[in-house]
Amino acid sequence: RRAGDVLGAGIGPRDDHLLITRVDQGGLFAAWNEAHPDAQVRAGAKIIEVNGVHSSGNDIMSQCKLRVALQMKILQVSPVSLWDQQGAQVTLDRRAGDVLGAGIGPRDDHLLITRVDQGGLFAAWNEAHPDAQVRAGAKIIEVNGVHSSGNDIMSQCKLRVALQMKILQVSPVSLWDQQGAQVTLDRRAGDVL
């Protein structure tokens, strides 16, 4: 790690874990997510152990502040119940001209969300719906009844109307089990959280 790097996340201690409330761009968690697209750490994840310490949220937080490599065990809560194979309904209101705030690329029959930025309509949706967040890797399969092609769906997204979206969220369930996934971040350079 370079001096000055941060974990890049909102982290709050709870009784027996740390709750990740957000993952910021530019930090170590963002770098982990980029390198491990199938095992991304997202808001709502629980850090249940760091370097073998799992007694309390405050003890776990103390480990995160050490200048050592951090061996983390993280549980990612998956919103599987809200994201079924038909897709979840997401409504974003663009009548005021607000930006969606996401990297979106057209594919043959859908739009692929490559990132969700802070400050856009998707970020506002995610904040209001923590159990049904739209994340990178999601597929927009329909907007306002249009589902014929990625380009047609993209045209709908550019309109200044309320957008009724059907979105499929690809969930990395296979990598996040009930014991948690192993994440390693290196703090030996002494950088701040």
Side-chain angles (χ1 to χ4, degrees):
R1 255 170 49 155
R2 299 171 315 230
D5 284 350
V6 295
L7 288 180
I11 299 175
R14 301 298 188 261
D15 287 340
D16 62 351
H17 66 277
L18 300 178
L19 179 66
I20 297 176
T21 58
R22 72 178 190 285
V23 175
D24 303 324
Q25 295 178 352
L28 287 176
F29 279 115
W32 168 272
N33 288 346
E34 187 173 319
H36 303 88
D38 293 333
Q40 293 190 352
V41 175
R42 302 179 306 274
K46 298 176 181 181
I47 302 173
I48 59 172
E49 182 179 304
V50 175
N51 297 338
V53 173
H54 53 82
S55 52
S56 74
N58 288 328
D59 290 342
I60 296 169
M61 180 68 91
S62 294
Q63 287 294 308
C64 289
K65 295 177 181 178
L66 296 177
R67 296 179 181 187
V68 298
L70 302 176
Q71 298 287 326
M72 296 181 170
K73 189 176 276 192
I74 299 178
L75 286 176
Q76 182 67 56
V77 179
S78 178
V80 174
S81 62
L82 296 176
W83 297 97
D84 62 21
Q85 292 192 346
Q86 267 63 83
Q89 196 72 32
V90 173
T91 302
L92 303 178
D93 192 348
R94 287 209 67 233
R95 288 180 285 192
D98 295 332
V99 297
L100 294 178
I104 299 175
R107 301 299 188 261
D108 288 340
D109 60 350
H110 66 277
L111 299 178
L112 179 65
I113 297 176
T114 58
R115 72 177 190 286
V116 175
D117 302 326
Q118 295 179 359
L121 291 173
F122 277 115
W125 168 272
N126 287 348
E127 187 171 320
H129 303 88
D131 292 335
Q133 292 189 354
V134 176
R135 301 179 307 274
K139 298 177 182 181
I140 303 172
I141 58 173
E142 182 178 303
V143 175
N144 296 339
V146 174
H147 54 83
S148 52
S149 75
N151 288 329
D152 291 341
I153 296 169
M154 181 68 90
S155 294
Q156 288 294 309
C157 289
K158 294 177 181 177
L159 298 175
R160 289 187 171 200
V161 299
L163 302 176
Q164 300 289 326
M165 299 180 165
K166 190 177 279 191
I167 298 180
L168 288 175
Q169 182 67 57
V170 178
S171 179
V173 174
S174 62
L175 295 177
W176 296 98
D177 63 18
Q178 301 227 334
Q179 274 67 58
Q182 195 71 31
V183 175
T184 302
L185 304 176
D186 191 351
R187 285 195 33 84
R188 287 178 280 196
D191 304 313
V192 296
L193 288 177

